[in-house]
Structures are given as structure tokens and as C-alpha cells.
């Protein structure tokens, strides 16, 4: 009789322990699944477009980082080298460009300013534009920028080959620096004439 009672107690204990461990395992699985589901849902954002909800997806910060590297380099060069004969426009563009680069950019700007480069653009009503050919960025975040610059004056159109290089450094994102990068050690490697065409005068 006593043996039967002991066996029943042991059996009940084993069943209770097994049920407890099974419950803990199930709760752990459910928690892991719920956590993953919540994280996944946080990446889904609904944006209202004319009162119509549109589902957009959030990507990881590093997913398109290489694209951002090239976009940052391209943005700086477009701001720095797009120079119409408009003093206020030039100043506004260069002010934006200075947020994207360290003091090497400011040094280049001051050097050109002292040489009367920007005044000559205004005096001759020249229009300077730049066309990006390619941008390479290596694993050490050293970039090389290849482009062609077009200089159009009243009497001529000149095309120049432009190659610059520098390094990229991660910094906090701001409204003035949306990519969260800054260009360092920037220098011009090549800047030479490719073509010079005189405009026809009638």
C-alpha cells in the first residue's frame, strides 16, 4: 500500500515537472517568435498619401551604405563645381558644400577666391557645370571621383577632365549632412583641358 502511494507521488511529481518544463519551453518559443514579429512589424510604416495609407519598408542602416558613400561624394562635387554667373547662388551652393567636407574644402575655396576665380566667372558671365563619370570607394573609404567640367562663355565652350580623391569619415547625420559622412584630405589629382570650341559669331 505504501509502495503504491510512493509510486503515485513520484509519478505525479514527474508529470508536474514535465508539465512545468514544457510550459517554460513553450513560453520561451512564443516570446522569441513575438519579439521577432514585433521587430519585423516595426520596419513597416504606413504613410498617408492623399489620405490613402501606403506601406513602406525600413531597411537596415548599412544596407545601402555604399550607395550613400557615392551619393555624398557626388553631391559635394556638384555643389562645389556648379557655378553659374550668380554671386548669391554660388555662395549658397558653396555654403552647403562646406557641411560635407573638412577644412581641405574651405582651403580650396579660399585659394580660388583669393585668385579671383569666382569674380572672373561673374565678369565673363561664364556657366560652369560638371558631369560625373564615375566614383570609386574602396574598403578603407578612400574615394576617387572622375568627371568632366563644362565651361561655357559668350565666345567659347571648354571641356576639362577632373579627377579628385579623398577619404570618407562617418559622422552623425544632420539636416545639412543627411548621409552622415564628411570628406577628408580632399585634393585634385587631375584638371586638364580636353576640348576647346569657339562659338560662331553672326
Amino acid at each position: 500500500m505504501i509502495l503504491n502511494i510512493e509510486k503515485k507521488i513520484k509519478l505525479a511529481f514527474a508529470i508536474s515537472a514535465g508539465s512545468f518544463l514544457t510550459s517554460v519551453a513553450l513560453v520561451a518559443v512564443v516570446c522569441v517568435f513575438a519579439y521577432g514579429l514585433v521587430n519585423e512589424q516595426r520596419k513597416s510604416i504606413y504613410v498617408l498619401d492623399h489620405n490613402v495609407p501606403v506601406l513602406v519598408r525600413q531597411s537596415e542602416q548599412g544596407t545601402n551604405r555604399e550607395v550613400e558613400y557615392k551619393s555624398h561624394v557626388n553631391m559635394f562635387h556638384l555643389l562645389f563645381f556648379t557655378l553659374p554667373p550668380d554671386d548669391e547662388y554660388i555662395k549658397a551652393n558653396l555654403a552647403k558644400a562646406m557641411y560635407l567636407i573638412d577644412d581641405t574644402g574651405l582651403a580650396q575655396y579660399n585659394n580660388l577666391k583669393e585668385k579671383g576665380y569666382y569674380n572672373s566667372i561673374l565678369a565673363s558671365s561664364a556657366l560652369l557645370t560638371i558631369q560625373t563619370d564615375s566614383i570609386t570607394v574602396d574598403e578603407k573609404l578612400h574615394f576617387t571621383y572622375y568627371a568632366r567640367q563644362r565651361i561655357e562663355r559668350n565666345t567659347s565652350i571648354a571641356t576639362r577632365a577632373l579627377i579628385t580623391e579623398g577619404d570618407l569619415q562617418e559622422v552623425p547625420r544632420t539636416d545639412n549632412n543627411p548621409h552622415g559622412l564628411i570628406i577628408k584630405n580632399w585634393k585634385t589629382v587631375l584638371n586638364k583641358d580636353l576640348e576647346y570650341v569657339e562659338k560662331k559669331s553672326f
Side-chain angles (χ1 to χ4, degrees), residues 80-128:
F80 196 88
F81 289 105
T82 300
L83 304 169
D86 183 328
D87 188 44
E88 293 302 319
Y89 186 91
I90 291 174
K91 287 179 180 177
N93 263 17
L94 291 173
K96 292 176 185 176
M98 291 305 110
Y99 286 107
L100 312 179
I101 194 168
D102 68 355
D103 56 354
T104 54
L106 183 60
Q108 179 75 343
Y109 165 68
N110 288 332
N111 183 42
L112 292 172
K113 188 176 180 180
E114 287 175 8
K115 290 180 178 179
Y117 179 70
Y118 301 108
N119 288 334
S120 67
I121 293 173
L122 299 174
S124 62
S125 296
L127 173 61
L128 281 69

Side-chain angles (χ1 to χ4, degrees), residues 4-202:
N4 287 337
I5 293 173
E6 287 181 353
K7 287 182 179 179
K8 288 180 180 179
I9 291 173
K10 288 180 179 179
L11 180 62
F13 178 77
I15 292 173
S16 299
S19 299
F20 176 75
L21 292 175
T22 303
S23 300
V24 170
L26 285 173
V27 169
V29 170
V30 169
C31 286
V32 170
F33 177 76
Y35 179 77
L37 187 62
V38 168
N39 276 345
E40 191 65 25
Q41 287 301 315
R42 283 179 180 171
K43 295 180 181 178
S44 300
I45 304 169
Y46 286 91
V47 178
L48 289 178
D49 182 16
H50 296 87
N51 294 325
V52 178
V54 178
L55 177 64
V56 296
R57 298 285 293 175
Q58 177 188 7
S59 60
E60 297 294 330
Q61 182 176 347
T63 302
N64 295 317
R65 202 55 176 153
E66 186 175 347
V67 175
E68 288 190 295
Y69 295 152
K70 294 182 179 181
S71 178
H72 184 88
V73 172
N74 189 53
M75 182 187 297
F76 166 76
H77 284 83
L78 289 177
L79 289 170
F80 196 88
F81 289 105
T82 300
L83 304 169
D86 183 328
D87 188 44
E88 293 302 319
Y89 186 91
I90 291 174
K91 287 179 180 177
N93 263 17
L94 291 173
K96 292 176 185 176
M98 291 305 110
Y99 286 107
L100 312 179
I101 194 168
D102 68 355
D103 56 354
T104 54
L106 183 60
Q108 179 75 343
Y109 165 68
N110 288 332
N111 183 42
L112 292 172
K113 188 176 180 180
E114 287 175 8
K115 290 180 178 179
Y117 179 70
Y118 301 108
N119 288 334
S120 67
I121 293 173
L122 299 174
S124 62
S125 296
L127 173 61
L128 281 69
T129 55
I130 194 167
Q131 181 179 350
T132 303
D133 289 334
S134 64
I135 302 169
T136 62
V137 182
D138 65 19
E139 65 279 358
K140 294 182 180 178
L141 299 188
H142 180 82
F143 73 84
T144 306
Y145 175 84
Y146 304 87
R148 294 189 178 208
Q149 188 175 35
R150 187 174 187 268
I151 305 169
E152 182 175 355
R153 296 185 174 88
N154 291 330
T155 57
S156 64
I157 299 174
T159 305
R160 298 180 65 84
L162 177 68
I163 301 176
T164 71
E165 66 178 16
D167 302 300
L168 292 171
Q169 179 181 324
E170 304 267 358
V171 295
R173 295 175 190 260
T174 66
D175 290 340
N176 294 313
N177 190 343
H179 295 121
L181 296 163
I182 192 165
I183 295 171
K184 299 176 72 70
N185 308 317
W186 182 58
K187 62 181 180 180
T188 300
V189 178
L190 177 70
N191 189 4
K192 71 172 186 178
D193 290 331
L194 291 177
E195 185 180 31
Y196 180 85
V197 178
E198 291 187 358
K199 289 184 178 180
K200 294 180 180 179
S201 56
F202 297 98

